[in-house]
Amino acid sequence: MLEKTYDPAAVETRIYEGWQEAGAFKAGAGAKPGAETFSIVIPPPNVTGSLHIGHALNNTIQDILIRFERMRGKDVLWQPGTDHAGIATQMIVERQLAERQQPGRREMGREKFLERVWEWKAESGGTILNQLRRLGASADWSRERFTMDEGLSEAVRKVFVTLYEKGLIYRAKRLVNWHPGLETAISDLEVENIETNGKMWHLRYPIEGSEETITVATTRPETMLGDVAVAVHPDDERYKHLVGKHVILPIVGRRIPIIADEYADPELGSGAVKITPAHDFNDFEVGQRHGLKPINIFTTTARLNNTVPAEYRGLDRFEARDRIISELEALSVLVWVDDKKIMVPYDEKSKVVVIEPFLTDQWFVNAEVLARPALASVKEGRTKFVPKAYENTYYAWMENIKPWCISRQLWWGHQIPAWYGPRLNTDPDFNNRDAGPKCFVAETEAEAIRLAQSYYGNRKIEVYSAGVNAPDYAKALSTFETAQRDRMNADTWSMRKHKDPFAELSDSKVPLHRDEDVLDTWFSSALWPFSTMGWPHQTPELAKYYPTDVLVTGFDIIFFWVARMMMMGLEFTGTEPFHTVYMHALVRDEKGQKMSKTKGNVIDPLELVDEYGADATRFTLAAMAAQGRDMRLAIARVEGYRNFVTKLWNAARFLEMNGCTRVEAFDPRANTLALNRWIVGSTARAVATVTAALDDYKFNEAANAAYDFVWGTFCDWYIELAKPVFTGDDEAAKAETQATAAFVLDQILKLLHPFMPFVTEELWAETGKTGPAREKLLIISEWPDLKGFEDTEAQAELDWLVALISGIRSVRQEMNVPAGAKIKLLVVGAGDVTGTRVEANLSALTRLARLDSVDYTSDVPRDSAQLILGEATFVLPLAGVIDLDAERTRLKRDIAKETVEIDKIDKKLGNEQFLAKAAEEVIEEQRTRRAEAEDRRARLIEALSRLS
RNA sequence: GGGUGUAUAGCUCAGCGGGAGAGCACUACCUUGACAUGGUAGGGGUCACAGGUUCAAUCCCUGUUACACCCA
């Protein structure tokens, strides 16, 4: 016997372990040989992460799809894993070291520090995946991957080297977004521009050899130390005569040109702008156009470096601003100051650190080339976005894609597979400092040495791993370079040889060192759909499960991740990594605000699981997952669906109490009772609706259809109507109903399983204790298919019965008949069908409408309430109970309602245009509705006349 | 500044070219042998506003307003 209420906490862990032990999550579990495949790769959560409500939604949706397709018999893989999350993870470990007052990262050195991070990962990295298990995620944990696993790292190296060889990855000195706190470059996407109250400072620069001055406006006066020019618009009449002259930069004293460039906007400020190519993206381009050499005034921590006057060196950028302003003021260079709203680039994660455009050597991906096929895939429909509106977002990004800066000055991540050595004096770039060192890109060190060997001839290659600043490396490098330089001049070289008998050997050993930077975390994430399946090796999994089917994700990572997976997938496998991208909404609080720790409005999904159970939590998320709209999560909804779980549980309990045991080889189509034929037909329709909705990714429709059917149809009507059968003495009817009830419950458990896996699996086990043995767990049982089980005749009869019972109940309440009182029912004017229906459903009718007798008459007693249904009138003689005035009011109200309806339809039918242009079936429908309303009204009027 | 989306019951949300829906909340009644985490019945909406298209608009189009988000 089932308990009175279902206790999720007591059941969920046991059920989950049962699935694991049965191997139900394993790729291909339950699939028939040769079955179609269905695969999803999880958006790998950060190892540093813990489950938030967005993850809960994301993974609930994936799990629903996976369980649905698994039950449909497909060969299913849900590939789980985690992302190494370079910056976040490194920061956590660094913070931990600081808290424990242990040596910092730099003191420890790279190798020790990385060991430390791996230790941390081993201890804490699995948290979020364990949290997903609590939600019921049925991923194939035996295939768990991590972006820094050896296999995935191999994929990363392969991709890097291949793209490098194709010229699609290159190293360049460019302005990048620099994070002065972390001292690393970040990508454009990791920067968030936030509108801030700023100021516009107007500075008056003196013109060389003239009394004239030129006024420039800037929001960042401290960067004037790095100014290399002043630009005006070529058509700006005010300044034409100044172009070609020079200004003397105040404080610094540098002589810089006035140039003409269209970037200067005559409408903005004074129309003249200072050009600081090292610290502004627009200025950088202006500088390039005019061959101006950028002057970098900052260190990697955004303090002023030694290119600036001594008194400013070492100052923080904001401190420097104040000091510069004071000095400019004192020099009367500062003319005036305006308040201005400005966009300040912040670190997208912390939203605290101001990002600095900074000139460094970095690695870039030529995203423009990779984007072309990725763009075409979506345009040509090979990959579809759901909802479709996101395709535009994707296009807008892809059509304007910028080079992707992929190097990060961090330690935790995939170290860039590039090795550097000194250039030979025969190299055309030997004296070109901007060209940088000679670079060898290879998947392994051995391969890099081979490449180097072919460049350096038979010199000995020595790889230094202690870093570019290690003394022995610096020494070896300078020895080599000096020798190469000295060899270029015959005199120098012969003098050297004379002094040093070993001079010829001084450049016989070449020092090589590996690039110390690591790759952007998203670089490895971009390979996730195929790297997790063993690529670059041609594994069976790759052949079977790639390309995947659906990618389920939030729109916030459409650029970070989706776009890049498309690019890499197409480039390296020749196929789109998925045919559908399902973008789910953002979960907000019930007031529509974004959840955040600082606002304190975070709903923790694990707390929901603890309090209401995983099933209720999942069902809520599914029921609210309408496409293209953010969801506001209200706890009351979760509570409501918890009640639904209880309702289902109790329905099963009722069936159990009434001997509803499954019957071997039961054929629902052989049923004779309308009640049973009706519920089977309704089940068929519910199955069809839920299946279609899931096929369309309309999770809310699927969930609601299942809910309506289970509660509104099965519990509210079928079980209620079955009660008299169970307590009656028609044994054949009882047996048929018991078998049908058990059959329908089975279908319900299957239908609900993707949404509520735990309670359904538990009930599947409980109901399996009697009747024929269950062959397998619910999770791998077959999805119901009841096509052709509909029964329109039974449907019509039960619709009628429901309407009659509801009608009588309604009258009883309005007439204030005590709920416990049993009353008589008289049937007037019933035809054959109604008569048969009344007789067939007599016990149900009597019970649910609380009647004590049903009789036929043509003689309506006075003081009765009357109900119109079909051709018959149902009369409730309520002498003594009934309030005649109330009944008259009720009838008049109903008559008025019908009149309004008739008038409305008449207006349409009287319109010639309508008759001429509307569809035939629409007109016909209106006519039918009118006739029905007219008939009801006539009989209501008749009923009213009987009352007086 | 450019773009996208949303506006429907007190709240959270579905829906849709031809009869305004659900859950929660609310009101009344009911411990009827599954379930009070329940049952029955009910009240409650100018479908944001203004135009337009259409025989017909909550739905399609345009504009306005408000809110949200994305990009610069």
Side-chain angles (χ1 to χ4, degrees), chain A residues 57 159 455 463 943:
Chain A
L57 171 64
V159 165
Y455 178 78
V463 178

Side-chain angles (χ1 to χ4, degrees), chain A residues 311 399 610 688 858:
Chain A
E311 65 268 34
E399 281 162 4
D610 286 340
S858 53

Side-chain angles (χ1 to χ4, degrees), chain A residues 809-822:
Chain A
R809 282 169 172 173
S810 187
V811 170
R812 287 178 60 115
Q813 294 258 354
E814 278 190 74
M815 293 300 117
N816 289 317
V817 177
K822 297 201 168 176

Side-chain angles (χ1 to χ4, degrees), chain A residues 110 114 148 156-157 160 410-419 465 513-519:
Chain A
R110 186 170 189 135
L114 288 180
M148 279 174 64
V156 164
R157 290 191 297 268
F160 187 93
L410 303 172
W411 287 352
W412 177 242
H414 299 99
Q415 193 174 353
I416 291 173
W419 283 259
S465 56
H513 80 274
R514 184 169 179 178
D515 194 317
E516 289 178 59
D517 292 348
V518 300
L519 289 165

Side-chain angles (χ1 to χ4, degrees), chain A residues 491-507:
Chain A
D491 293 343
T492 314
W493 190 242
S494 65
M495 259 168 68
R496 233 192 106 168
K497 278 210 290 198
H498 186 71
K499 272 197 274 183
D500 175 5
F502 298 108
E504 280 293 354
L505 294 176
S506 61
D507 55 3

Side-chain angles (χ1 to χ4, degrees), chain A residues 648 709-710 714 744-753 760:
Chain A
L648 173 68
F709 171 67
V710 172
F714 185 69
V744 172
L745 180 63
D746 260 18
Q747 312 311 307
I748 286 174
L749 295 179
K750 290 177 173 188
L751 206 54
L752 288 176
H753 181 77
T760 50

Side-chain angles (χ1 to χ4, degrees), chain A residues 175 228-232 259-264 273-277 280-294:
Chain A
L175 266 197
V228 299
V230 169
V232 297
I259 59 172
D261 192 284
E262 301 201 338
Y263 165 66
V273 286
K274 58 194 268 316
I275 300 298
T276 322
D280 182 282
F281 286 97
N282 289 312
D283 292 9
F284 183 76
E285 286 179 17
V286 176
Q288 287 215 311
R289 281 199 286 272
H290 296 268
L292 299 163
K293 204 167 158 46

Side-chain angles (χ1 to χ4, degrees), chain A residues 148-220:
Chain A
M148 279 174 64
D149 283 350
E150 179 41 38
L152 278 71
S153 302
E154 185 190 347
V156 164
R157 290 191 297 268
K158 174 97 180 165
V159 165
F160 187 93
V161 172
T162 310
L163 290 178
Y164 176 80
E165 285 167 354
K166 284 189 167 182
L168 293 174
I169 279 185
Y170 56 90
R171 192 172 154 81
K173 198 182 222 35
R174 288 274 175 80
L175 266 197
V176 294
N177 295 293
W178 186 263
H179 191 303
L182 301 169
E183 295 178 70
T184 178
I186 56 177
S187 80
D188 303 354
L189 289 171
E190 290 159 296
V191 178
E192 185 175 338
N193 292 299
I194 301 177
E195 191 177 73
T196 315
N197 288 321
K199 287 190 181 353
M200 187 68 122
W201 283 272
H202 297 255
L203 310 178
R204 191 163 57 191
Y205 287 173
I207 289 170
E208 185 189 39
S210 154
E211 290 302 296
E212 244 184 307
T213 59
I214 187 164
T215 302
V216 297
T218 178
T219 57
R220 297 199 58 193

